[in-house]
Amino acid sequence: MSLTEIQPSKHPNLDCIGASIYTVLKYLNFSALETAWKQCGAIYLKTQDSPYGDVNGQYMRTVAELTWIHNIRVEGQAEPENDLFLANIQERLERDIPTIVLCNMAELPYNPYYQDLPEMHSIIVTGREGNQLLIVDDYYRYKGLLPIEQFLLASNSSYRDAGTGEWYPLHNRSFELVLSDSLHPTHDQLLEAVRSNLSVLEGRCDINQIKRELDVPDDVNIEVGLKSLDPFMKDVETFLASGVEITDDHLDILNHSLISMAQTRAMYADVLQVISEKYESFADLAEQYRSIGHQWKITTNMILKAFDSNRSDMVHRVLQKISSIKTQEFEAVTSTREVLERVGVVV
């Protein structure tokens, strides 16, 4: 397959950056796509002046996750100078390397949030025709030509972080993926990911290390483990009780949290399924996490409905749903500990 033949991938369990990475890895013939995303944690990040914070299923940056076990390197940079930025993209195209670019979603005219939702998004540049770039957007299933002028408006502006509401400049941020010569990871290597995830879910980890890994500012409070769901739900309940109007921004933060939990569980189930090829006891655990991921997905649909209905009532219903999911999450942790001990992994 040539670079310009790349088509958008159809992967329901990945966010925009994950989907872009998935498509590039597939183009590079990476043989372990089902285990590229291994994180399944729970952390709660809250700034001092916010009514409630952001729950995240990831506890390390995507760059670190790709390096972990698979040794996939992410090479990129921010290049504020547009001419140099375009030259870098052209150089990659000449090497038949797709470029992943981070951009402002509100500046991409083909998506439904054009000029409306200035959040960070990712696209892949796969070719150039005169003053237009050929791009692939996996999240919106789009492939087409984008005028370079419009492309630069999207890549060299600022975006609003969906989790915190803060604004950040992009400065033409792009990167490519470099694969190592290592073989497909063994089942025993993947057991390390399971053990690591368990330590985070149980809160048996170095919080300072996670703060350094995620580059968490000093004024942000962090809770790690499934126990972090309690302060999250309590803070949201307190916010609802205050009677403050629930804005779209408030719902966006909730949606960001729920999507992260749903996606990490769904992808983690694939890792467990691969491990079950050697250790059969992991098959039931894979189904357990697949079910949990589906339950988190239901909460994201509920939040989307909240944009057009009784917001306070719907958020209350989401919290009730999370309470039941939390029970399932703790049950899965108990099951994980049991299957790890059964195959001789010290937890």
Side-chain angles (χ1 to χ4, degrees), residues 89-110:
I89 292 176
Q90 182 63 38
E91 187 272 333
R92 291 188 183 118
L93 291 175
E94 291 172 358
R95 289 190 289 118
D96 292 326
I97 298 296
T99 300
I100 298 176
V101 177
L102 302 183
C103 53
N104 179 350
M105 186 161 60
E107 297 292 351
L108 298 173
Y110 58 82

Side-chain angles (χ1 to χ4, degrees), residues 150-195:
Q150 187 70 51
F151 170 78
L152 293 173
L153 284 176
S155 65
N156 203 7
S157 60
S158 296
Y159 73 97
R160 184 190 61 185
D161 185 84
T164 65
E166 299 293 327
W167 287 80
Y168 300 96
L170 284 166
H171 296 321
N172 296 329
R173 295 166 60 188
S174 69
F175 55 92
E176 65 177 275
L177 303 180
V178 180
L179 306 187
S180 71
D181 295 327
S182 61
L183 300 176
H184 194 289
T186 66
H187 296 92
D188 289 345
Q189 284 177 309
L190 294 176
L191 288 177
E192 169 56 25
V194 179
R195 188 202 62 76

Side-chain angles (χ1 to χ4, degrees), residues 121-158:
H121 191 58
S122 67
I123 57 177
I124 310 171
V125 179
T126 61
R128 179 171 181 171
E129 295 184 15
N131 290 323
Q132 299 184 98
L133 293 175
L134 180 62
I135 68 163
V136 170
D137 187 326
D138 297 277
Y139 197 79
Y140 291 107
R141 309 284 192 269
Y142 176 82
K143 177 179 180 177
L145 292 169
L146 187 66
I148 287 179
E149 183 179 0
Q150 187 70 51
F151 170 78
L152 293 173
L153 284 176
S155 65
N156 203 7
S157 60
S158 296

Side-chain angles (χ1 to χ4, degrees), residues 290-307:
R290 193 164 282 114
S291 175
I292 290 172
H294 178 68
Q295 295 304 310
W296 281 111
K297 178 65 175 177
I298 291 174
T299 66
T300 68
N301 294 333
M302 294 169 69
I303 282 295
L304 291 178
K305 291 179 181 179
F307 280 91

Side-chain angles (χ1 to χ4, degrees), residues 30-31 77 81 88 108 132 142-143 173 226 236 260 268 274 291 293 302 314 324:
F30 180 59
S31 62
Q77 63 186 36
E81 294 294 330
N88 290 338
L108 298 173
Q132 299 184 98
Y142 176 82
K143 177 179 180 177
R173 295 166 60 188
L226 290 178
V236 176
S260 172
Y268 184 47
V274 171
S291 175
M302 294 169 69
M314 187 59 74
S324 67

Side-chain angles (χ1 to χ4, degrees), residues 55-104:
V55 171
N56 204 309
Q58 293 181 300
Y59 56 90
M60 64 174 72
R61 291 187 180 278
T62 301
V63 170
E65 183 177 11
L66 292 172
T67 304
W68 185 28
I69 298 177
H70 296 90
N71 297 314
I72 300 169
R73 295 201 323 276
V74 178
E75 295 186 352
Q77 63 186 36
E79 179 49 77
E81 294 294 330
N82 289 337
D83 289 344
L84 291 177
F85 175 53
L86 293 173
N88 290 338
I89 292 176
Q90 182 63 38
E91 187 272 333
R92 291 188 183 118
L93 291 175
E94 291 172 358
R95 289 190 289 118
D96 292 326
I97 298 296
T99 300
I100 298 176
V101 177
L102 302 183
C103 53
N104 179 350

Side-chain angles (χ1 to χ4, degrees), residues 112-332:
Y113 300 106
Y114 177 52
Q115 297 184 337
D116 186 42
L117 193 62
E119 294 183 358
M120 187 173 70
H121 191 58
S122 67
I123 57 177
I124 310 171
V125 179
T126 61
R128 179 171 181 171
E129 295 184 15
N131 290 323
Q132 299 184 98
L133 293 175
L134 180 62
I135 68 163
V136 170
D137 187 326
D138 297 277
Y139 197 79
Y140 291 107
R141 309 284 192 269
Y142 176 82
K143 177 179 180 177
L145 292 169
L146 187 66
I148 287 179
E149 183 179 0
Q150 187 70 51
F151 170 78
L152 293 173
L153 284 176
S155 65
N156 203 7
S157 60
S158 296
Y159 73 97
R160 184 190 61 185
D161 185 84
T164 65
E166 299 293 327
W167 287 80
Y168 300 96
L170 284 166
H171 296 321
N172 296 329
R173 295 166 60 188
S174 69
F175 55 92
E176 65 177 275
L177 303 180
V178 180
L179 306 187
S180 71
D181 295 327
S182 61
L183 300 176
H184 194 289
T186 66
H187 296 92
D188 289 345
Q189 284 177 309
L190 294 176
L191 288 177
E192 169 56 25
V194 179
R195 188 202 62 76
S196 179
N197 288 333
L198 178 64
S199 69
V200 174
L201 291 169
E202 292 184 334
R204 298 180 295 103
C205 54
D206 187 342
I207 293 180
N208 289 327
Q209 180 179 343
I210 290 179
K211 291 184 72 172
R212 289 192 297 271
E213 170 67 35
L214 297 177
D215 195 22
V216 177
D218 293 335
D219 64 339
V220 174
N221 181 56
I222 179 171
E223 300 279 349
V224 178
L226 290 178
K227 66 180 186 296
S228 68
L229 293 176
D230 289 327
F232 167 66
M233 290 189 291
K234 181 180 179 180
D235 288 342
V236 176
E237 288 172 349
T238 300
F239 170 73
L240 293 174
S242 70
V244 174
E245 179 185 359
I246 303 175
T247 66
D248 286 358
D249 287 347
H250 291 133
L251 294 179
D252 280 339
I253 293 174
L254 286 175
N255 192 43
H256 181 266
S257 295
L258 302 176
I259 287 175
S260 172
M261 297 299 283
Q263 290 172 338
T264 49
R265 273 60 185 162
M267 301 305 295
Y268 184 47
D270 291 339
V271 176
L272 295 170
Q273 193 64 48
V274 171
I275 298 174
S276 73
E277 296 170 359
K278 179 177 181 180
Y279 302 106
E280 291 184 8
S281 56
F282 279 82
D284 290 340
L285 189 60
E287 287 306 311
Q288 208 169 351
Y289 270 103
R290 193 164 282 114
S291 175
I292 290 172
H294 178 68
Q295 295 304 310
W296 281 111
K297 178 65 175 177
I298 291 174
T299 66
T300 68
N301 294 333
M302 294 169 69
I303 282 295
L304 291 178
K305 291 179 181 179
F307 280 91
D308 300 314
S309 61
N310 186 322
R311 297 189 172 195
S312 179
D313 179 65
M314 187 59 74
V315 174
H316 273 297
R317 290 171 59 186
V318 167
L319 292 178
Q320 292 173 357
K321 181 68 174 175
I322 294 175
S323 292
S324 67
I325 296 174
K326 188 180 75 169
T327 300
Q328 298 174 53
E329 287 270 9
F330 275 103
E331 291 173 350

